[in-house]
């Protein structure tokens, strides 16, 4: 079953075409990686899908309904949620209360939201820090909190924007494990922007590649790693040699 359809989506900023006639679909339960050079249009695509931007052309269909132009909070209510590369938790609130903010989207009963938030905080590995102010978390901790807040909204589809940015290799691998557990435990569909190639290759069922706002390839990780246009535009020959 197709959960998300992006149909000829175009987003402009003045004379700059940031996303240029992009079309693809994501199947329910799939992990689709989204890669490309800085400035390729990846985050703009996320913003256009999640309701931050209104595209000039094309449409976004989520779970059978057109959501193009809906406000971000309405999109989230429908079950599509995104994380941000630059994490901005409610710094003065503790970890648990940050996650409760997301949980209140579906339920206004304080006992239910607290229980749900506690379960999610434990799930992402922040249980021992539940009552610590979010401002005290490390970068890796804030990334886990970002995942927890998104999970608390009970999404069907999560858009993850460079969850591993700024992390050490060990921390990145730990986040990969959490994302894999999220997919398995919560049965979610994921669209993932990432520059850590080892992570995105291992996580993804398919990978889409943007370059200058255009979709230049979408295929299995193995096919993408061998695609000459992708190697030329983004991966580089050293990646090809390292992969062989």
């Amino acid at each position: 079953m197709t959960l998300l359809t992006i149909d000829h989506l175009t987003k402009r900023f003045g004379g700059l075409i940031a996303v240029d006639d992009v079309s693809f679909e994501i199947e329910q339960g799939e992990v689709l990686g989204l890669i490309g050079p800085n400035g390729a249009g990846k985050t703009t695509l996320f913003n256009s899908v999640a309701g931050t931007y209104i595209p000039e052309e094309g449409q976004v269909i989520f779970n059978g309904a057109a959501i193009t132009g809906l406000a971000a909070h309405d999109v989230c209510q429908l079950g599509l949620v995104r994380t941000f590369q630059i994490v901005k938790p409610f710094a003065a609130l503790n970890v648990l209360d940050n996650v409760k903010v997301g949980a209140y989207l579906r339920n206004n009963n304080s006992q239910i939201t607290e229980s749900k938030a506690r379960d999610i905080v434990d799930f992402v590995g922040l249980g021992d820090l539940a009552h610590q102010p979010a401002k005290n978390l490390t970068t890796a901790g804030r990334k886990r909190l970002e995942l927890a807040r998104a999970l608390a909204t009970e999404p069907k589809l999560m858009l993850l924007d460079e969850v591993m940015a700024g992390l050490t290799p060990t921390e990145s691998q730990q986040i990969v494990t959490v994302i894999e557990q999220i997919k398995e435990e919560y049965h979610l569909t994921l669209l993932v922007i990432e520059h850590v190639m080892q992570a995105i290759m291992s996580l993804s069922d398919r990978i889409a590649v943007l370059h200058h706002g255009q979709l230049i390839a979408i295929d299995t990780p193995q096919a993408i790693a061998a695609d000459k246009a992708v190697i030329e535009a983004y991966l580089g020959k050293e990646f090809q040699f390292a992969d062989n």
Side-chain angles (χ1 to χ4, degrees):
M1 172 185 170
T2 300
L3 185 62
L4 181 73
T5 299
I6 296 173
D7 185 26
H8 297 286
L9 201 70
T10 297
K11 177 61 188 173
R12 301 185 183 92
F13 297 98
L16 172 67
I17 303 177
V19 175
D20 188 0
D21 194 30
V22 170
S23 298
F24 60 83
E25 295 180 344
I26 303 176
E27 298 300 308
Q28 186 172 352
E30 182 178 21
V31 178
L32 180 68
L34 184 61
I35 66 173
N38 289 329
K42 303 182 297 297
T43 296
T44 300
L45 179 66
F46 264 32
N47 287 333
S48 300
V49 170
T52 305
Y53 297 155
I54 299 176
E56 279 71 33
E57 298 171 21
Q59 62 177 337
V60 180
I61 300 170
F62 174 64
N63 204 26
I67 63 170
T68 319
L70 289 184
H73 62 272
D74 291 324
V75 173
C76 185
Q77 183 74 53
L78 293 173
L80 191 160
V81 68
R82 59 148 320 162
T83 67
F84 292 85
Q85 177 185 351
I86 300 175
V87 182
K88 295 181 179 179
F90 298 104
L93 296 182
N94 67 31
V95 168
L96 184 62
D97 285 344
N98 264 272
V99 180
K100 284 168 65 177
V101 171
Y104 273 116
L105 178 70
R106 305 292 177 197
N107 197 300
N108 59 10
N109 182 294
S110 60
Q111 289 183 329
I112 293 174
T113 54
E114 172 126 9
S115 175
K116 175 180 169 182
R118 166 60 75 175
D119 288 343
I120 293 172
V121 167
D122 289 341
F123 180 81
V124 301
L126 293 175
D128 292 341
L129 302 173
H131 298 290
Q132 288 291 317
K135 64 184 179 182
N136 291 349
L137 293 177
T138 64
T139 299
R142 292 187 181 203
K143 296 285 187 175
R144 288 174 184 261
L145 178 56
E146 185 82 346
L147 290 173
R149 292 198 301 174
L151 273 176
T153 67
E154 298 183 23
K156 298 180 179 69
L157 172 62
M158 288 178 66
L159 312 184
L160 306 182
D161 193 352
E162 293 196 44
V163 179
M164 288 159 239
L167 302 186
T168 67
T170 298
E171 291 168 340
S172 294
Q173 185 53 55
Q174 290 169 345
I175 288 290
V176 167
T177 300
V178 172
I179 294 171
E180 290 172 338
Q181 291 170 342
I182 285 171
K183 180 188 176 184
E184 181 177 345
E185 181 72 18
Y186 289 89
H187 309 291
L188 295 183
T189 306
L190 304 174
L191 177 58
V192 184
I193 294 175
E194 193 49 65
H195 285 292
V196 181
M197 284 300 99
Q198 183 177 2
I200 202 70
M201 290 288 174
S202 66
L203 278 173
S204 303
D205 299 304
R206 291 186 301 150
I207 294 176
V209 187
L210 287 184
H211 186 52
H212 296 310
Q214 296 181 328
L215 183 69
I216 63 170
I218 183 166
D219 212 324
T220 64
Q222 295 79 10
I224 290 296
D227 189 296
K228 292 182 179 180
V230 176
I231 293 169
E232 181 71 23
Y234 180 56
L235 295 179
K237 292 182 179 180
E238 65 274 11
F239 180 88
Q240 184 184 35
F241 295 147
D243 195 55
N244 288 336

